[in-house]
Amino acid sequence: MSSIAQKKGFGATIWDFMTTVDHKKIAILYLMSGGFFFLVGGIEAMLIRIQLVKAGNDFLSAGTFNEVITMHGTTMIFLASMPILLAFMNAVMPLQIGARDVAFPFLNSLGFWLFFFGGIFLNLSWFMGGAPDAGWTNYASLALASEGHGIDFYTLGLTISGFGTLIAGINFLVTIINMRAPGMTYMRMPLFTWTTFVASALILLAFPPLTVGLFFMVFDRLFGASFFAVEMGGNTIIWEHLFWIFGHPEVYILILPAFGIFSEIFAIFSRKRLFGYTALVFATILIGFYGFMVWAHHMFTVGLGPTANAVFALATMIIAVPTGIKIFNWLLTIWGGNISFSVPMIYAVAFIPTFVAGGVTGVMQAIAPLDYQLHDSYFIVAHFHYVIVGGVVLAILAGTHLYWPKMFGTMLSEKLGKWTFWFFFLGFHLTFFIQHFLGLMGMPRRVYTFGADQGWDLFNAISSSGAILMATGVIILLVNVVMTIVKNERIGNDPWGDGRTLEWAIPSPPPFYNFAQTPLVRGLDTYWIEKMDGNKKGMIFAEPLGDIHMPNGSIIPFVISLGMFIASFGALYFMDGKPWALAVLIGGLTLMFASMLVRSLKDDLGFHITKAELLEDAKGGNTDGH
Amino acid sequence: MAHDTHVHVRSQAEFEYVKKKRAEEMRGHLATFAIMIFLTLIAFTMVAAGFSVYLIVPIILLLAGIQVVLQLYYFMHMSGKGHGMIAFFMFSGMFVAFITVLTFVTIIWW
């Protein structure tokens, strides 16, 4: 295998991506499929807002509306936000710590394909007898009563994609602990790497409760168990606990990488070292830690009793402290900086007030007595869209602009980027700010329509018009992406001119072995230090140029995931007494275990890139930035 | 790969040092083993003596906890160098599991 880029046919490119174990290509796969699901979830959001644009609308039936809101929430959380963040983690984190790949490249690929097939399985429900309709939280009493196979698509699909996410999380943990370049101590790691680390730890600890809950649900619905069936002596509240023991850390799994992306942006575009780096790191760890002690604040109205409510209310309010520390540190990073308002920076600056608004309503809901008023109203809808869209989605859009050049070697248009920002940002506030007041006026969440005499017409119409602006913004982004790909203007190592961390010291996109020589890290903001010292190479090397050991690509992760995908259909239709269901279930599992066996028995020792090939690459390479 | 295999010959002092270290480790193992047997004996004796269940259960749980710690630190070498991160993640996981069980016991099943 040669390291020199070759022109490939379309089929060969597809095969290359199906078998790749390269973290940068897997990042592109995550970005593309996450982006696809983001569009699907966005279309579902538009359907919701069209249905609610006027009183008594009959655009969607009540049943379809339930399916659409369930799939909107599930898709956006599990299949859009997390994969796109995993894309950035995959693309950037190994570069930031000076590693040639993640610790387990094969598992990285397996994690992606499990997520992908889980997402496809979940969305196939639309074409195979109806989507899940019990809300994204899938509360057990409602879910067990749901007819058709929607809920089964939810439980099996999320089980598969949950395995994928868990694998990705463990992989990142091992990578960050073991594969940092010489000199890269924990307290020299860029903040995006730190947030990846903490978010991965949260994935490790939070996904098992979800998997357990989903397993119980699968057995209740498909195999006649009664973990949650009250009439059989089960307990429906246990689902709520298991779901939120996972669900609350999940929110931090999403927001911490977003914080990481913004921390990078503030430092780069203010041309300053991050203010209070140590405080930011410890705030990140604290948020991760508290994330496990607050889940019952989603259940204040369940009837946990005043003691439990008080404990969880206090614990919840404490989280505002580390988050506040972060906000002030970002503000002080900008303060006195040499600011350039490029597209990522505009997103970052807009994020601060938006996220603070979402945080403040969060503290309001932490007050348990007040939560009895706010619970299940549009106030809640407004709150979580402020933190998730105002935090995570703004970070995803900012990160797309920031890391696009590193991932693809081309620059997204600044002009179109600004148009996207203004449409999306104004549309977002128009859509969701007014929903606070709809909530206070008594509009319950998840209703498919409302009466003309309830006084919610105007505010709902305003909210829907904002959604059109957001959609326009996303369409402009798509145009931007297509135009950038078509133009294909290549850029150098450090396209923003002020890159501070190691990923900006190597070509865009990086060669598949990332670093010809492992860098030596002399401090925080490694690349910046070398630039200030006038080092034209952008880094100091920790080793002489020598052969590099690389892993071989493999189709086995794809086949393992396909096996689980097929087996899920067998499990799903087993309940109906279909004669072929058992055969499909066994066939799928056989395919899965057989491919695992092949992987276990066949030694794959990888290959070596020789020194001569590296020297050949370096001749054509661009090492000094411009 | 191209790296040469490093052969290290121990000096007499190093040999003595390692020998002493190993002897110490062995003493630790034996002592821990004795303690563990003793703790198990206490647990069995308590049940055989027929004390109140409300006394036996918490004490047995406590003894079990001590056994786990001894096992991890003396027999699974968690006290050795470079195990800090592993210990951190294990204890975080135990903490999360403990909080979960505590909550279930106190507000669902009480």
Side-chain angles (χ1 to χ4, degrees), chain B residues 35-110:
Chain B
I35 293 171
M36 289 170 96
I37 298 280
F38 182 63
L39 292 182
T40 314
L41 277 179
I42 292 179
F44 274 104
T45 321
M46 272 179 45
V47 176
F51 290 138
S52 154
V53 176
Y54 292 100
L55 180 69
I56 294 177
V57 170
I59 291 187
I60 285 189
L61 285 176
L62 181 72
L63 294 180
I66 296 172
Q67 295 260 20
V68 168
V69 173
L70 290 177
Q71 176 79 18
L72 286 175
Y73 275 90
Y74 283 92
F75 288 98
M76 299 181 79
H77 302 282
M78 233 170 75
S79 48
K81 245 190 191 168
H83 288 58
M85 208 36 108
I86 296 167
F88 176 74
F89 274 92
M90 272 180 56
F91 288 121
S92 309
M94 286 180 196
F95 176 72
V96 172
F98 173 74
I99 295 265
T100 305
V101 172
L102 182 72
T103 315
F104 275 39
V105 169
T106 49
I107 64 181
I108 302 182
W109 296 321
W110 195 254

Side-chain angles (χ1 to χ4, degrees), chain A residues 6-81:
Chain A
Q6 290 158 343
K7 257 232 170 331
K8 283 189 203 145
F10 183 69
T13 311
I14 296 281
W15 178 254
D16 184 35
F17 272 95
M18 278 167 70
T19 57
T20 187
V21 293
D22 180 350
H23 71 98
K24 298 174 291 298
K25 282 186 182 157
I26 291 172
I28 292 172
L29 287 172
Y30 267 120
L31 189 68
M32 287 197 316
S33 30
F36 168 74
F37 286 123
F38 182 73
L39 295 181
V40 172
I43 290 168
E44 284 154 2
M46 294 310 290
L47 296 179
I48 295 170
R49 282 326 308 176
I50 292 173
Q51 166 65 17
L52 292 174
V53 72
K54 62 176 188 194
N57 202 358
D58 59 355
F59 175 70
L60 298 175
S61 70
T64 314
F65 186 84
N66 288 344
E67 294 177 0
V68 171
I69 55 161
T70 303
M71 286 302 284
H72 166 68
T74 313
T75 305
M76 283 303 197
I77 297 281
F78 290 101
L79 308 180
S81 303

Side-chain angles (χ1 to χ4, degrees), chain A residues 106 110 554-564 588-602:
Chain A
F106 179 89
L110 181 61
S554 170
I555 191 68
I556 293 177
F558 182 88
V559 180
I560 293 176
S561 311
L562 183 69
M564 276 196 94
L589 288 178
T590 309
L591 182 61
M592 183 178 98
F593 285 116
S595 42
M596 285 178 171
L597 195 70
V598 171
R599 169 70 182 172
S600 308
L601 295 181
K602 205 182 109 225

Side-chain angles (χ1 to χ4, degrees), chain A residues 173 177 186 197 201 204-205 235 237-238 241-242 245 289 292-293 295 304 308 312 547 608, chain B residues 1-3 85-86 88-90 92-96 99-101 103-104 106-109:
Chain A
L173 283 177
I177 293 173
Y186 282 110
F197 186 60
L204 175 68
L205 299 175
N235 190 334
I237 300 298
I238 290 177
H241 278 288
L242 287 174
I245 289 171
F289 189 66
F292 282 97
M293 289 183 267
W295 79 87
L304 308 174
F312 282 105
D547 293 2
H608 286 91
Chain B
M1 250 305 302
H3 305 289
M85 208 36 108
I86 296 167
F88 176 74
F89 274 92
M90 272 180 56
S92 309
M94 286 180 196
F95 176 72
V96 172
I99 295 265
T100 305
V101 172
T103 315
F104 275 39
T106 49
I107 64 181
I108 302 182
W109 296 321

Side-chain angles (χ1 to χ4, degrees), chain A residues 556-596:
Chain A
I556 293 177
F558 182 88
V559 180
I560 293 176
S561 311
L562 183 69
M564 276 196 94
F565 179 71
I566 294 171
S568 301
F569 283 105
L572 189 87
Y573 287 106
F574 186 67
M575 179 175 72
D576 296 351
K578 295 250 167 64
W580 46 265
L582 191 63
V584 171
L585 178 60
I586 293 172
L589 288 178
T590 309
L591 182 61
M592 183 178 98
F593 285 116
S595 42
M596 285 178 171

